[in-house]
Amino acid sequence: NAWQTGTWDIINLTYEPAYILLTLALAMKLGLAPMHFWLPEVLQGSTLTTALIITTWQKLAPMSLIYMTLNNLSTTTLILLGLLSSIIGGWGGLNQTQTRMIMAFSSIAHLGWMITISSIMPNIMVLNLTIYLIMTIALFYSLILSKSKTIQDTTATWTLSPALTAMMMTLLLSLGGLPPLTGFMPKWLILEELVAQNLTPAATVMAMSALLSLFFYLRLTYTTTLTLSPNTTQTKLKWRFKPNHTTLLMGASSTISIFLLPMTPLMLL
């Protein structure tokens, strides 16, 4: 764009290849399909804390760039990227056994929802991003505290803390977008807006892809709360040492992730 127009301003791009490249670059940075291949692999190869940073903090810069340059980006391209991401995010997570891989595909699906609505109602995109960040922080903190790296590890969470087990269950259901939990709010608002804009086929595809995501969240919920780990220990609970991590952030984010739905009208002002 600087080459063609002589300006370094990215807010008002006038050269078409420049904003096509910008869209692709931001999609790759966010991990949107079909440029999503790096995200699950990188998350699987890193620690839970690093994975938490990659799925939350790293999304802020590209999302703010998308918000700033929305006037120049192609709405059709963004909706197609969003639809593809929500489908692949749901489909890819179905066969995973590692919690970090599941969270990576969950991230791809959630970002798909945000990108679909970004060019239609940016304020809903910002609301969705905020709720996604809070829910992801809460769930990752739960996984870090319970040291759950695989689905099999989650079956032993109840020995650490029954309260944490119940909290993880509600967090997973909230991430899946079930009412009356917070996670239902962005999905509801996005589907409502898509239908209002006569994008009913897109809304239908998004709703169906949410079912794919819901399946693997429910599988995690089932293993966490309804199954016992296959072991022969006689003790009911693990030794309780002083936790290495502070639980204040997890407690605050978990509460918001569960109880925020009645506040929807205030958030839309």
Side-chain angles (χ1 to χ4, degrees):
N1 190 61
W3 202 347
Q4 292 295 319
T5 62
T7 64
W8 289 96
D9 183 22
I10 63 158
I11 309 296
N12 301 308
L13 293 177
T14 49
Y15 186 51
E16 192 175 349
Y19 66 74
I20 291 169
L21 274 174
L22 180 69
T23 311
L24 292 175
L26 289 172
M28 188 170 182
K29 181 92 171 115
L30 284 168
L32 290 173
M35 285 78 78
H36 66 286
F37 298 103
W38 65 273
L39 187 62
E41 301 301 326
V42 168
L43 251 65
Q44 183 51 38
S46 55
T47 62
L48 281 166
T49 313
T50 313
L52 166 63
I53 293 165
I54 292 171
T55 49
T56 54
W57 188 253
Q58 200 211 343
K59 308 297 179 202
L60 293 174
M63 271 298 183
S64 53
L65 278 172
I66 283 178
Y67 190 82
M68 286 161 61
T69 56
L70 269 177
N71 299 331
N72 307 309
L73 304 180
S74 160
T75 306
T76 315
T77 311
L78 289 176
I79 290 174
L80 286 173
L81 281 173
L83 287 173
L84 196 60
S85 298
S86 60
I87 293 166
I88 287 177
W91 218 320
L94 292 179
N95 209 22
Q96 302 300 333
T97 56
Q98 304 283 327
T99 50
R100 281 165 295 184
M101 286 288 251
I102 288 174
M103 289 307 292
F105 283 108
S106 157
S107 175
I108 293 165
H110 276 279
L111 287 162
W113 282 81
M114 287 176 230
I115 292 301
T116 306
I117 200 67
S118 60
S119 55
I120 300 165
M121 274 198 89
N123 59 340
I124 294 183
M125 179 191 83
V126 174
L127 174 66
N128 192 349
L129 178 65
T130 311
I131 290 172
Y132 158 76
L133 292 177
I134 293 167
M135 290 194 297
T136 308
I137 287 167
L139 189 60
F140 261 113
Y141 251 91
S142 305
L143 294 173
I144 289 166
L145 281 175
S146 59
K147 297 184 173 64
S148 301
K149 292 187 176 67
T150 63
I151 290 183
Q152 192 177 345
D153 292 343
T154 60
T155 58
T157 312
W158 65 277
T159 59
L160 179 70
S161 165
L164 181 65
T165 309
M167 190 71 88
M168 274 179 78
M169 180 193 77
T170 42
L171 283 172
L172 285 161
L173 294 177
S174 186
L175 270 165
L178 289 184
L181 304 167
T182 308
F184 175 61
M185 185 206 300
K187 286 185 166 57
W188 169 35
L189 294 171
I190 289 170
L191 290 177
E192 188 181 37
E193 190 57 38
L194 286 173
V195 172
Q197 299 286 343
N198 284 332
L199 291 166
T200 315
T204 309
V205 172
M206 298 290 281
M208 297 296 276
S209 70
L211 293 175
L212 292 170
S213 299
L214 186 60
F215 175 79
F216 61 76
Y217 290 128
L218 282 173
R219 192 176 58 168
L220 263 179
T221 308
Y222 176 72
T223 56
T224 307
T225 52
L226 298 174
T227 55
L228 295 175
S229 56
N231 58 21
T232 54
T233 53
Q234 300 301 313
T235 54
K236 281 280 192 219
L237 296 167
K238 290 182 184 175
W239 279 97
R240 300 287 184 92
F241 295 111
K242 194 175 186 332
N244 294 328
H245 303 273
T246 55
T247 53
L248 180 67
L249 182 62
M250 189 192 82
S253 55
S254 300
T255 310
I256 297 169
S257 303
I258 295 166
F259 296 115
L260 213 60
L261 187 65
M263 305 280 286
T264 311
L266 292 174
M267 298 197 161
L268 288 175
L269 291 175

